Amino acid sequence: MDVKLDYEIEKKYLDNVLGYLNDKLSEYVENRKNISDSIVDYRKKFIEEYRDDDDKIIDYFDHENYKNEQIFMLVEKKIKEILYLKKTPYFGKIVISEDGEEEKFYIGSYGFDIGLELPLIIDWRAPMASLFYQGRIGELSYKIPSGEEICVSLNERIQFLIRDGKIISMFDSDIDIKDEFLKEMLSLKSSNKLKNIVQTIQVNQDKIIREDRNKSIVINGVAGSGKTSVALHRIAYLLYNFRDYFEDRVLILCPNKIFMEYISAVLPSLGEYGGVHSYTSEDFIYLSTGGNLNFNSYDSHMEKILNDKEYLDEFKFKGSYEMKCEIDKFISYVEENINLGGDIYFRDELIINYEELNRLFYESFKSRSIDVRINLIKKRIFDKINKVRNTFVRQIKDKYKSMNTDSDMENYYDMLMRNEIYDVVRDSSDIKSSLHYLKLESPYELYREFYESYFSKDLVNLDFGDLILIKYIDINIYRPKKDREYRLVVIDEGQDFSYMFYQVIKMYTESPSYLIVGDLNQSIIKFEDNFTHSTRIFENKKDFEMLDSYRSTKNIIDYSLKYLNDRISVNSIRDGEDVTYFECEYDDIKKILIEAINNLKSKNIGIIVLDKRMINKVHDMIKSNFYIKTITDEDHVYSDNGIFLTTVYFSKGLEFDSVIVIDSGFEDNILYIMLTRAMHDAIHIKIKNVIP
């Protein structure tokens, strides 16, 4: 192959694409200006015309000019895409043969088509782009959204590294994305936002991203395997190929707000600016219960998990299958002991008898929720009361109508009639009011009754486990309406959620597909049923393992694996410096920390400890030597540069250029979590004595 000739050909194509991009950018900028001017002029004209009519102005801002503003937003999105493409128009090229004709396609983060015979760039999410990610040349196939499989011959596969519109490197790649390219991408500094990985998606990752849209996928992936990135790229892929089906129906549940902020840039960088709903798992459950209960914050809950064994054991039990059985017994008890009362009479007229009440509740309305059954019975009773009441009223009217009265007595008898009717209406209202026992307590009140009976103690402070069980009672007894329909539910850090959590999410969302990512080895809370077992409740489920780490160096990975009880094999393609280990007295930590921070070349350093108590101690040690950014609650922000001091539970999912772990004595897998936050360097400081 004439490399120089190929380079000149590719450079010419790149220059051609850049020219078209510049032309299209100018066109979009002009369009944006025209639309913006039109919107501003219309607003000025409208406000001038109706300056004295506030209602008209309000109505305008609610309804008018919506179309132009939507077009403006679309043009703005296209401008952002083209500005990105000008720096890196594409990263791959495939040459395929189909029916004897050879065609070439360039693959980028976004598609770019100006109406020529072939698009200048195809979007990485397009079905054909999967040929690039399959990792080999030869006879291949790809599926289009309808499910039809297209067979082609992949003759050539080229990888590009393009920066600021210039080809830095290019090479044939007929097996997988070249190690040199991947290493370069992984050697970049950490960021305050998770980055998209479209240029380095691996074969196994691409299979997950493009899996059947109706599958429920559970990924057990080691630290740094890119499982969160894969989940977000799958969302982008599904929205691109099945937008009408998924748009505004995707739910992402994150462990905490810091993590939610950390991943927030990925979907916009892939061209998806809306249509996805993100919550912390706690907030989602809390808001779905009505949002009027007080419960422990995420950080106070995790502090108790780490330091209060009794609290931890109770929390784990509340999330277990055994607890589900106990709650189900309680719900059955509530159903079987509903106070339906006895025979109901209205002025000696039988409205409904006890047998009919029971038949309605336990037979006729059996398929409905308990709450609905009670309301249906009350409606049936009220209808019958109204019917009898109306009969009495007619009888009273007929009685007075049939009486022969003098005209001067008409008003008197009319008053008597009205009084009798009033008595009937009052009696009917009194009977309805007396049926106050035909109602259910709130889900919280029912749960409190269960909790205090089962645990033989008062329910004082609610935790996340309590919220889950309250919601479980709510779903089973009240069957509340959902705020919206979800067709894909994505759950991150899945290993930290209980069996009961997954039950509630499944019952409440009723989504046809789920995507759950986690790492069994990063479980802070070791539930009896781990997440790979708990998620068996989801239909059409497919399990994946991801054992390649793209975050940490091989040295850091090998060192961290020593702290896992279950021996696993993890692949890492980058070599680096060995982990530095110190074992010291508590009083020597300050000196070691200061030297370590000064020796590290990183602009982004994470000091990770167990809990807030240790944060306070370490911060006091070195606050006069360095500016320390502490992350102690969900309102703190993780940024690009600086020295960050945080707990193990807030560090989950984040990454730092360098990590200093202060080992104050805890379970080994906690060390694994801490160490694998590091991309390039890790220091392990073990405290020998008891911490004061």
Side-chain angles (χ1 to χ4, degrees), residues 255-259 297-300 302-303 306 524 608-610 612 615 630-636 638 645-654 656 677:
N256 56 64
K257 291 174 184 175
I258 292 173
F259 186 84
S297 64
Y298 174 78
D299 49 303
S300 62
M302 292 306 302
E303 288 289 313
L306 292 169
I524 291 180
I608 307 177
V609 299
L610 181 68
K612 287 185 179 181
I615 277 187
T630 59
I631 303 176
T632 55
D633 61 53
E634 294 186 88
D635 293 328
H636 284 85
Y638 168 54
L645 175 58
T646 190
T647 62
V648 61
Y649 53 87
F650 275 133
S651 74
K652 296 187 72 173
L654 303 182
F656 303 90
R677 301 309 95 206

Side-chain angles (χ1 to χ4, degrees), residues 190 223-224 549-557 560 572 574 579 602 604-606 608 651 654-661 671-683:
S190 66
S549 177
Y550 305 107
R551 177 190 298 137
S552 306
T553 63
K554 187 176 187 303
N555 312 63
I556 295 171
I557 290 294
S560 65
S572 178
R574 284 192 305 124
V579 175
S602 310
N604 176 275
I605 299 172
I608 307 177
S651 74
L654 303 182
E655 59 185 28
F656 303 90
D657 291 333
S658 303
V659 161
I660 301 172
V661 170
L671 274 171
Y672 170 78
I673 298 169
M674 294 173 162
L675 289 162
T676 53
R677 301 309 95 206
M679 295 178 65
H680 309 298
D681 304 287
I683 297 171

Side-chain angles (χ1 to χ4, degrees), residues 26-73:
S26 298
E27 180 184 326
Y28 278 132
V29 169
E30 182 66 24
N31 287 345
R32 181 177 63 180
K33 181 180 183 303
N34 292 337
I35 296 167
S36 179
D37 289 346
S38 174
I39 292 171
V40 171
D41 289 345
Y42 189 88
R43 285 178 175 174
K44 285 179 180 177
K45 179 182 176 183
F46 194 96
I47 292 172
E48 182 66 29
E49 188 174 347
Y50 295 103
R51 64 168 58 249
D52 298 321
D53 191 338
D54 290 343
D55 290 336
K56 280 282 187 181
I57 293 174
I58 291 170
D59 184 63
Y60 158 71
F61 281 113
D62 283 344
H63 305 290
E64 290 291 334
N65 228 20
Y66 175 76
K67 181 179 177 181
N68 272 346
E69 290 176 353
Q70 289 298 109
I71 295 173
F72 180 87
M73 290 169 61

